[in-house]
Amino acid sequence: MVRAAVLPAVGAPLEITEIDLPDPGPGQVRVRLAAAGVCHSDLSLSNGTMRVPVPAVLGHEGAGTVLAVGEGVAHLAPGDDVVLNWAPSCGSCHACSLGEVWLCANALNGAAEVYARTADGTDLHPGLNVAAFAEETVVAASCVLPLPDGVPLADAALLGCAVLTGYGAVHHSARVRAGETVAVFGVGGVGLATLQAARIAGASTIVAVDVSPEKEDLARAAGATDFVVASADTAREIRALTGKQGVDVAVECVGRASTIRAAWDSTRRGGRTTVVGIGGKDQQVTFNALEIFHWGRTLSGCVYGNSNPAQDLPVLAEHVRAGRLDLGALVTERIALEGIPAAFANMLAGKGGRALVVF
């Protein structure tokens, strides 16, 4: 029996309770969590913006230590430090055959499986495959990546979603080049990772945008050269900071129609706008046909940073070891399992960066 944060139904409060976690079966791994990040996607799953089979244990951004491996698992052993990968690629679907593993059609198949039970025998699903809001979890071996040396285990949890997403948005999706100008909309965990990634890429001007003026210090510490409080004049302010041209690249990390539109309007003619934020179906963004032609901008979605975790994790680890990437700077609160509901409330209120559950 281990303690976990259980979502009993969509829209219901999380329940901190004990669950019955089985030993790993063939092709599975049991991991003791060191830490798990509280991501906005977990909030979206809990409130129904994104669908998840319930009851479920949420949490998809985690790192820990292998306790046991099932039959057929050869690349991991008890005692190994690992990062959880919530979207493993199957290697055989059409997207995987194209090398676009972040779009794998079968990546979330495991979320529909029963992986544990409550004390009264109720079946539980692993939210986004890995169920990291628990002291321990049992996952498919494909959901586990060895942690490279030199990365603090608890902070390594952030590599599992926020950093892969933010870094990938800059380096894989928008492909920011040295000297280009960048605007980042939303200074939460992913936004802070995106700001650091833009700095690593050598962006000349990095504008952070957020509704909360209290986030300016966080943004500048992550690499922002300028900070703009979100308003109806955001695009105009960003153009004023870039010689009236607009930025080469805008990255939207919020998932709202208004901020997607503002990011588009802040991008120069011929620039790139990358949308990382996950919005609801009610968030409708409109463009007229003439402006699409006239501005010649590129608008693209970005799933999991368009990343290949197995390839990108060693690259990120090298940035950490070299001091270019500061994982701890993304964390504004270290909490216990009981603190997750408050962390959800802070996200809704636009407060703080990443909350990290530390076990």
Side-chain angles (χ1 to χ4, degrees), residues 2-132:
V2 300
R3 295 177 71 247
V6 174
L7 178 71
V10 173
L14 292 179
E15 298 176 355
I16 311 302
T17 186
E18 288 194 334
I19 65 171
D20 186 4
L21 194 65
D23 293 330
Q28 292 185 322
V29 180
R30 184 166 181 144
V31 176
R32 180 178 62 240
L33 273 297
V38 183
C39 179
H40 202 281
S41 296
D42 297 309
L43 174 61
S44 295
L45 290 167
S46 71
N47 64 24
T49 300
M50 298 167 61
R51 290 187 297 176
V52 62
V54 290
V57 175
L58 302 182
H60 62 280
E61 182 183 82
T65 302
V66 174
L67 292 177
V69 299
E71 181 183 349
V73 178
H75 71 291
L76 296 164
D80 288 349
D81 290 338
V82 295
V83 176
L84 299 181
N85 173 21
W86 62 269
S89 58
C90 70
S92 59
C93 71
H94 182 64
C96 287
S97 73
L98 297 174
E100 298 173 350
V101 297
W102 54 92
L103 299 179
C104 176
N106 301 308
L108 294 179
N109 285 357
E113 302 294 327
V114 172
Y115 95 112
R117 289 177 172 81
T118 62
D120 64 5
T122 302
D123 290 345
L124 288 172
H125 300 277
L128 292 185
N129 284 327
V130 297

Side-chain angles (χ1 to χ4, degrees), residues 264 267-273 289-299:
W264 166 271
T267 309
R268 68 165 174 83
R269 195 175 189 191
R272 291 102 69 199
T273 303
L290 181 60
E291 70 174 313
I292 292 174
F293 161 78
H294 172 77
W295 288 103
R297 296 165 173 150
T298 300
L299 176 68

Side-chain angles (χ1 to χ4, degrees), residues 48 74 85 90 131 206 225 228 243 246 281 342 355:
N85 173 21
C90 70
I206 305 173
T225 59
V228 171
K281 294 180 180 178

Side-chain angles (χ1 to χ4, degrees), residues 202-216:
S204 57
T205 297
I206 305 173
V207 185
V209 182
D210 200 274
V211 295
S212 173
E214 288 77 19
K215 290 191 178 182
E216 180 171 0

Side-chain angles (χ1 to χ4, degrees), residues 256-311:
R256 292 199 188 102
S258 58
T259 50
I260 294 171
R261 181 70 219 201
W264 166 271
D265 289 338
S266 300
T267 309
R268 68 165 174 83
R269 195 175 189 191
R272 291 102 69 199
T273 303
T274 293
V275 179
V276 173
I278 301 173
K281 294 180 180 178
D282 61 326
Q283 296 293 311
Q284 299 292 315
V285 188
T286 60
F287 308 91
N288 66 60
L290 181 60
E291 70 174 313
I292 292 174
F293 161 78
H294 172 77
W295 288 103
R297 296 165 173 150
T298 300
L299 176 68
S300 61
C302 179
V303 178
Y304 203 8
N306 292 10
S307 294
N308 182 332
Q311 294 179 5

